[in-house]
């Protein structure tokens, strides 16, 4: 066949086709080898356990027996709509014009290609997909389920199926991918296979799509570049003191505890959006913790060790600055742990923390929100099996789990661009950071999931640690809490509820626009997202707080900066951290999860 193409004057095409076939053969072998390297799958983390399916089946059979007419009506409606879709597409084809019938379906960015509207074939596929999706969701809605947990889990699973079956996820029904393949004479599909092989090889046989170009950024070179010094190193963390940018700085030091499920340089991506640089410019003597990326040798490290690390960090900061008090910040899980530490300090009569700030931190887990699907016994027990096997809750499992909370944005969309369109991952610093995940020590992960998330011990009976039973009400230092309006990891109303139950008399709550990351990394120079404050604060409930709040344009950073400044003491000559152990960002931040 290739010889025939060459004779007919298609030698360049024949040569390219031959090269692509050879590349596909090699890539196919690499792909099979990469898949073979995958560990035996753990059913406990691959999907819901049998109890959920039994619950759904029982609810379906109950509906069928008690409301047969409703079930029949649903089926008739579905098939009537399906036949209508088909008939209209047929009429368009019979007319001899490749023009789709009138389309009044809602806008959806997955279907932005004009062919979804104009071509009868693609228009039929789209309409039938939307019909199927609606039918699935209606069927799920009609199930009489025993409780709110089952309802949330069924709805989540239904939405996962709907998103997975979108026609854009398949080559034969994705006009963008087909057009690109024709335009590039198949080169886009070969590049897509190369991208797929790369991702499977990088992730030990797991198919996890790369969200960003790994080669575009280097921590300490073009991101995470704020000048500073590693002034202390321990097995679990490095302590970085940042160089002052002002002649005078506040007496009381500020220490930030970032989450250890990601790396601290989210606060120092680029100079123009670096919270670390901004705080130094405000005259803060700033320390930031860089957590160790644990391996299996950390399997027995628990919440006790992390809280002990908090206390060690505070001791070191006070020693280096010759102060008796400091201000502390905890972000996400580090804010949860800071709250536990504050409770412990209160019970010990230790007043070293002058004020605390919580970024998107949960301390009351009575409403599990979008994580309901992942916080039930079947999935948590599956994680327990992973921990027994590896000693860790591995970064790639966490990354995959988090991604499916926003599957279209973080799974299917990137997979289409990478594997079908053959596009390289973008050089986007935030997505690069998102892909630079960390492992969690096994003991700590199970304590967090079982005691804090499932039992909600800190907000109810108390969290037992180091001979103390810790309660939310023990947290009594002045507090400022920042939550984010569209945060799906730490919903703002749940953050608000936790702070409301703390014992502090001096509490401020700020609600930023946007989500878990963009709402926090929101520098004043961008003027992108605004924020809400309310005089009501914690006198009633979160609904009243929101109704009485006032919107303010621009970042919340200056408002918090003023709050912090009032609690940071007098201005002194700025402290130079010296050479210390090594320059920031230190050594631990470069360790990648295996």
């Amino acid at each position: 066949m290739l010889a025939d193409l060459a004779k007919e004057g298609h030698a360049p095409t024949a040569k390219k086709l031959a090269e692509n076939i050879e590349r596909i053969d090699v890539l196919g072998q690499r792909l099979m080898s990469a898949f073979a390297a995958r560990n035996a799958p753990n059913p406990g983390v691959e999907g819901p356990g049998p109890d959920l399916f039994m619950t759904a089946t029982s609810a379906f059979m109950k509906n069928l027996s008690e409301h047969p007419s409703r079930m029949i009506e649903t089926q008739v409606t579905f098939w009537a709509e399906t036949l209508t879709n088909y008939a209209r597409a047929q009429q368009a084809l019979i007319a001899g014009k490749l023009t789709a019938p009138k389309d009044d379906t809602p806008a959806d960015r997955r279907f932005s290609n004009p062919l979804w509207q104009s071509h009868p074939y693609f228009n039929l596929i789209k309409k039938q997909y939307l019909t199927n999706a609606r039918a699935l969701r209606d069927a799920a809605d009609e199930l009489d389920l025993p409780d709110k947990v089952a309802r949330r889990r069924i709805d989540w699973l239904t939405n996962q199926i709907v998103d997975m079956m979108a026609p854009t996820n398949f080559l034969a029904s994705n006009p963008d991918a087909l057009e690109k393949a024709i335009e590039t004479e198949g080169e886009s599909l070969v590049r897509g296979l190369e991208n797929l092989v790369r991702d499977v090889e990088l992730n030990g046989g797991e198919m996890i799509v790369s969200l960003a170009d790994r080669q575009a950024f280097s921590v300490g070179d073009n991101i995470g570049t704020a000048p500073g010094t590693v002034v202390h190193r321990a097995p679990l963390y490095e302590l970085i003191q940042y160089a002052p940018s002002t002649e005078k700085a506040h007496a009381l030091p500020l220490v930030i505890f970032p989450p250890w499920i990601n790396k601290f340089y989210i606060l120092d991506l680029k100079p123009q959006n670096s919270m670390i640089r901004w705080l130094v410019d405000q005259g803060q003597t700033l320390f930031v913790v860089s957590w160790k990326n644990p391996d299996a040798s950390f399997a027995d490290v628990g919440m006790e060790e992390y809280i002990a690390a908090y206390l060690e960090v505070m001791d070191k900061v006070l020693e280096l600055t010759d102060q008796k008090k400091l201000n502390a910040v905890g972000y996400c899980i580090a804010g949860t742990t800071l709250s536990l530490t504050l409770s412990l300090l209160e019970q010990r009569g230790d007043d070293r923390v002058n004020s605390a700030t919580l970024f998107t931190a949960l301390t009351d887990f009575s409403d599990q929100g979008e994580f309901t699907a992942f916080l039930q016994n079947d999935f948590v027990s599956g994680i327990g099996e992973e921990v027994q096997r590896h000693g860790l809750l591995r970064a790639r499992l966490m990354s995959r789990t988090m991604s499916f909370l926003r599957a279209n944005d973080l799974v299917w969309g990137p997979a289409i661009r990478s594997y079908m369109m053959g596009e390289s991952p973008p050089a986007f610093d935030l997505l690069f950071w998102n892909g630079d995940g960390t492992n969690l020590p096994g003991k700590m992960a199970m304590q967090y999931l079982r005691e804090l998330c499932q039992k909600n011990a800190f907000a109810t009976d108390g969290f037992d640690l180091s001979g103390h039973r810790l309660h939310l009400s023990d947290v009594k230092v002045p507090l400022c809490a920042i939550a984010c309006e569209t945060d799906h990891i730490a919903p703002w109303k749940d953050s608000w509820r936790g702070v409301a139950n703390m014992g502090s008399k001096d509490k401020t709550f700020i609600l930023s626009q946007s989500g878990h990351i963009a709402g926090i990394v929101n520098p004043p120079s961008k003027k992108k997202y605004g924020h809400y404050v309310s005089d009501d604060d914690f006198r009633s409930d979160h609904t009243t707080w929101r109704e009485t709040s006032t919107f303010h344009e621009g970042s919340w950073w200056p408002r918090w900066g003023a709050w912090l400044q009032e609690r940071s003491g007098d201005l002194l000559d700025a402290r130079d951290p010296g050479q210390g152990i090594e320059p920031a960002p230190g050594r631990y931040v470069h360790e990648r999860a295996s």
Side-chain angles (χ1 to χ4, degrees):
M1 177 181 176
L2 296 179
D4 292 338
L5 284 171
K7 289 178 183 177
E8 294 171 13
H10 296 287
T13 300
K15 182 180 179 182
K16 186 171 185 178
L17 179 60
E19 290 173 350
N20 282 342
I21 290 173
E22 185 176 346
R23 288 164 65 193
I24 288 171
D25 183 51
V26 173
L27 287 167
Q29 294 177 34
R30 280 178 56 192
L31 184 62
M32 291 303 102
S33 297
F35 277 133
R38 186 189 182 198
N39 291 320
N42 176 359
V45 295
E46 298 294 326
D51 287 352
L52 181 65
F53 294 105
M54 289 297 296
T55 298
T57 302
S58 298
F60 177 81
M61 297 305 297
K62 180 181 179 183
N63 275 6
L64 185 61
S65 62
E66 295 181 358
H67 307 287
S69 60
R70 186 187 304 168
M71 300 289 284
I72 293 171
E73 181 182 350
T74 300
Q75 288 293 312
V76 168
T77 300
F78 169 75
W79 284 111
E81 190 169 337
T82 295
L83 291 173
T84 299
N85 292 339
Y86 178 76
R88 287 176 176 170
Q90 279 289 89
Q91 288 173 356
L93 290 170
I94 291 171
K97 298 179 180 178
L98 286 179
T99 304
K102 182 180 178 182
D103 187 347
D104 56 359
T105 54
D108 187 324
R109 63 181 178 179
R110 291 175 297 178
F111 304 117
S112 58
N113 189 301
L115 288 174
W116 291 112
Q117 295 289 115
S118 63
H119 195 287
Y121 167 73
F122 289 110
N123 187 257
L124 171 61
I125 290 173
K126 181 187 78 167
K127 285 185 174 177
Q128 190 56 44
Y129 165 70
L130 295 175
T131 296
N132 294 345
R134 187 160 48 250
L136 278 171
R137 290 191 173 108
D138 287 347
D141 288 343
E142 289 177 1
L143 296 177
D144 184 10
L145 297 168
D147 53 39
K148 183 170 68 174
V149 170
R151 165 54 58 199
R152 283 182 170 176
R153 299 193 80 195
I154 289 293
D155 289 346
W156 179 85
L157 184 59
T158 301
N159 286 329
Q160 293 301 314
I161 295 170
V162 167
D163 290 343
M164 179 178 63
M165 297 308 296
T168 45
N169 295 340
F170 303 92
L171 178 62
S173 52
N174 187 317
D176 292 306
L178 292 172
E179 287 176 339
K180 188 71 172 287
I182 294 170
E183 176 188 326
T184 62
E185 297 181 319
E187 178 69 18
S188 61
L189 298 180
V190 181
R191 289 200 304 266
L193 182 57
E194 289 175 340
N195 292 341
L196 174 60
V197 171
R198 175 205 63 214
D199 286 345
V200 175
E201 288 178 340
L202 279 173
N203 293 290
E206 299 274 358
M207 193 170 71
I208 301 176
V209 62
S210 293
L211 298 180
D213 182 357
R214 281 194 175 195
Q215 308 306 315
F217 300 99
S218 175
V219 181
D221 293 330
N222 56 359
I223 53 175
T225 59
T229 301
V230 176
V231 293
H232 181 66
R233 177 177 290 136
L236 196 55
Y237 66 89
E238 290 176 329
L239 179 62
I240 300 171
Q241 181 178 354
Y242 282 91
S245 61
T246 56
E247 291 185 3
K248 299 288 186 178
H250 289 283
L252 270 62
L254 174 67
V255 59
I256 297 180
F257 296 96
W260 51 89
I261 59 174
N262 290 106
K263 295 183 179 177
F264 81 91
Y265 65 87
I266 186 61
L267 300 175
D268 187 35
L269 287 177
K270 291 180 291 193
Q272 56 267 38
N273 64 0
S274 169
M275 179 181 281
I276 286 173
R277 289 177 183 266
W278 183 84
L279 284 167
V280 170
D281 288 344
Q282 306 309 303
Q284 292 292 338
T285 301
L286 181 63
F287 295 80
V288 177
V289 173
S290 174
W291 297 104
K292 176 78 173 176
N293 198 341
D295 56 25
S297 66
F298 286 75
D300 293 327
V301 169
M303 293 297 293
E304 297 89 346
E305 284 74 22
Y306 276 93
I307 289 176
Y310 274 56
L311 298 176
E312 288 174 10
V313 165
M314 291 178 185
D315 286 339
K316 192 65 180 178
V317 169
L318 294 175
E319 174 192 328
L320 289 169
T321 58
D322 194 27
Q323 294 291 312
K324 295 182 179 180
K325 286 178 176 285
L326 53 76
N327 296 312
V329 178
Y331 191 172
C332 190
I333 188 175
T336 308
T337 310
L338 176 58
S339 301
L340 290 166
T341 306
L342 293 171
S343 174
L344 179 64
L345 290 172
E346 173 66 22
Q347 291 191 20
R348 290 178 173 178
D350 188 328
D351 64 352
R352 70 178 74 180
V353 177
N354 190 57
S355 77
T357 300
L358 305 176
F359 293 169
T360 64
L362 294 178
T363 50
D364 182 339
F365 295 86
S366 55
D367 186 342
Q368 296 170 349
E370 293 191 44
F371 281 93
T372 299
F374 301 116
L375 290 177
Q376 306 315 305
N377 282 329
D378 52 1
F379 193 77
V380 174
S381 296
I383 291 176
E385 292 171 12
E386 286 284 302
V387 164
Q388 287 293 321
R389 185 188 303 179
H390 303 288
L392 302 164
L393 174 49
R394 294 177 300 163
R396 66 171 63 110
L397 175 57
M398 277 196 297
S399 174
R400 189 184 69 179
T401 301
M402 293 288 193
S403 293
F404 277 98
L405 291 175
R406 291 290 181 271
N408 284 329
D409 293 332
L410 297 176
V411 180
W412 307 119
I416 290 166
R417 291 189 292 274
S418 187
Y419 306 151
M420 279 198 235
M421 308 288 289
E423 297 176 3
S424 298
F428 185 14
D429 57 355
L430 181 58
L431 291 179
F432 173 86
W433 167 84
N434 189 65
D436 190 11
T438 56
N439 302 314
L440 295 185
K443 181 181 177 182
M444 173 264 139
M446 295 312 298
Q447 283 178 303
Y448 182 78
L449 292 171
R450 292 291 192 195
E451 299 299 319
L452 290 173
C453 295
Q454 286 192 312
K455 293 183 181 178
N456 196 24
F458 190 33
T460 54
D461 297 334
F463 182 81
D464 290 326
L465 183 134
S466 302
H468 292 263
R469 177 159 288 188
L470 308 179
H471 294 88
L472 269 178
S473 57
D474 295 326
V475 180
K476 296 180 179 178
V477 303
L479 286 170
C480 184
I482 293 89
C484 299
E485 194 173 22
T486 58
D487 191 338
H488 62 281
I489 295 173
W492 78 265
K493 63 182 180 62
D494 300 321
S495 294
W496 184 96
R497 185 175 60 251
V499 177
N501 290 323
M502 293 179 180
S504 305
K505 295 181 180 179
D506 178 1
K507 293 187 284 192
T508 299
F509 191 79
I510 301 172
L511 179 61
S512 174
Q513 289 184 310
S514 196
H516 194 71
I517 300 301
I520 296 297
V521 184
N522 179 26
S525 59
K526 293 285 185 181
K527 299 180 181 178
K528 192 170 184 180
Y529 301 117
H531 62 280
Y532 300 85
V533 294
S534 172
D535 292 334
D536 183 79
D537 273 338
F538 299 96
R539 287 193 290 272
S540 48
D541 56 25
H542 74 273
T543 303
T544 303
W545 186 95
R546 186 67 177 81
E547 289 172 349
T548 60
S549 66
T550 303
F551 178 73
H552 297 268
E553 297 282 353
S555 172
W556 55 270
W557 290 12
R559 184 178 299 276
W560 172 57
W563 181 92
L564 192 61
Q565 191 176 59
E566 292 176 359
R567 295 161 177 81
S568 296
D570 297 332
L571 291 172
L572 308 174
D573 290 339
R575 306 171 177 98
D576 185 346
Q579 293 189 349
I581 297 173
E582 64 179 272
R587 184 181 304 173
Y588 288 172
V589 73
H590 296 292
E591 298 174 344
R592 296 192 70 93
S594 58

